[in-house]
Amino acid sequence: MTAAPLTTRPPVKIGVLISGEGTNLQAIIDAVARGELKADIRVVISNKAAARGLERARKHGIPAEVIDHRRFTSRDDFDHALVASLHTHQVELVICAGFMRLLTPVTVAAFRDRIMNIHPALCPSFPGVDAQKQALDYGVRFSGCTVFFVTEGIDDGPVIVQAVVPVHQDDDAGTLAARIQTEEHRIYPFAIRLYQEGRLEVRGRKVHILDAPPTDAIAADVNPRLP
Ligand code: GRF
């Protein structure tokens, strides 16, 4: 597939928050390298020093910081430190990518409609931890992933993009997670690209995508066809 040309708008300055493996971070780094996303990754911040994603960032010359939540006596204090670092690095859009801390209103208010997260289920189904196991235990035939704007609630912000995967009868949480992650790695860079192109408009609890493809094109495909 030939990538559609990127806009003449400047790259979006992003800060990526992680706690672990960082495969979504890697997908974003790779999308930028392939010329499919205009983003300047200003900083990667982890609340855990052992997060493998930190190595991924450093390998690509991206500033990588650890802000250990255990150093702070309150959740708000931790968030104040996060916001200070994000501002220092002139971040305009915050990307949570496997960041295992709930942001407090301190960060949500500082970056209103400018924080994205990805959840490994079709929101509003199966919020919180172990979403893949929740889906298996419930017995749904389809699950997927959701990129949304973070609000004060848990995995319930305005939905930006979703992708669907089938749930197989012999799946365990690991096989389902892997199938979902393949889609995560496609739709997260795509959602950031929509933001960079100035095409996301939050209207109440809905996100309107400007110049969205005709409904027929989406219906034919279920999952979004990337430009
Ligand atoms: C992903 O499954 C994402 O949906 C969830 O945390 C996981 C992070 O994976 N929020 P990685 O660290 O990006 O590999």
Side-chain angles (χ1 to χ4, degrees):
M1 184 179 64
T2 326
L6 292 164
T7 63
T8 51
R9 285 169 173 259
V12 57
K13 295 174 188 167
I14 64 175
V16 185
L17 307 184
I18 61 166
S19 298
E21 191 54 37
T23 63
N24 279 285
L25 165 67
Q26 189 68 54
I28 294 163
I29 292 171
D30 293 346
V32 174
R34 283 197 304 267
E36 292 170 10
L37 171 65
K38 275 177 91 172
D40 178 6
I41 309 174
R42 310 283 299 180
V43 66
V44 171
I45 303 173
S46 172
N47 65 312
K48 293 193 174 170
R52 160 118 167 76
L54 290 168
E55 284 167 44
R56 296 179 191 269
R58 291 186 185 119
K59 196 171 149 210
H60 290 272
I62 299 164
E65 284 180 9
V66 177
I67 304 181
D68 187 338
H69 60 278
R70 292 170 307 183
R71 285 200 292 120
F72 300 88
T73 47
S74 77
R75 292 177 54 224
D76 276 354
D77 284 352
F78 171 66
D79 272 45
H80 280 299
L82 271 186
V83 170
S85 172
L86 293 165
H87 282 155
T88 300
H89 292 281
Q90 295 172 317
V91 166
E92 36 175 311
L93 178 68
V94 181
I95 301 298
C96 300
F99 182 62
M100 300 306 284
R101 304 292 302 169
L102 282 180
L103 294 172
T104 76
V106 168
T107 308
V108 178
F111 290 91
R112 174 73 57 197
D113 297 338
R114 293 189 294 130
I115 307 172
M116 290 185 186
N117 193 8
I118 189 158
H119 184 63
L122 294 173
C123 293
S125 294
F126 314 127
V129 292
D130 294 331
Q132 301 91 341
K133 182 171 181 308
Q134 291 185 56
L136 285 177
D137 290 350
Y138 195 93
V140 291
R141 298 295 187 205
F142 294 92
S143 190
C145 46
T146 305
V147 181
F148 61 96
F149 280 119
V150 172
T151 56
E152 284 80 3
I154 297 177
D155 300 328
D156 69 352
V159 171
I160 304 167
V161 188
Q162 293 185 302
V164 177
V165 305
V167 178
H168 297 166
Q169 207 138 274
D170 56 356
D171 267 335
D172 57 33
T175 55
L176 179 57
R179 195 173 307 118
I180 291 173
Q181 276 223 325
T182 302
E183 291 302 321
E184 291 183 16
H185 300 160
R186 278 170 16 94
I187 69 169
Y188 217 171
F190 175 54
I192 300 167
R193 177 173 173 156
L194 289 174
Y195 183 97
Q196 185 270 330
E197 291 175 341
R199 293 173 58 195
L200 298 180
E201 215 170 78
V202 182
R203 301 181 187 167
R205 77 142 291 118
K206 291 188 185 173
V207 177
H208 189 80
I209 300 178
L210 307 177
D211 303 319
T215 318
D216 284 358
I218 295 173
D221 227 2
V222 180
N223 288 343
R225 228 178 266 166
L226 309 192

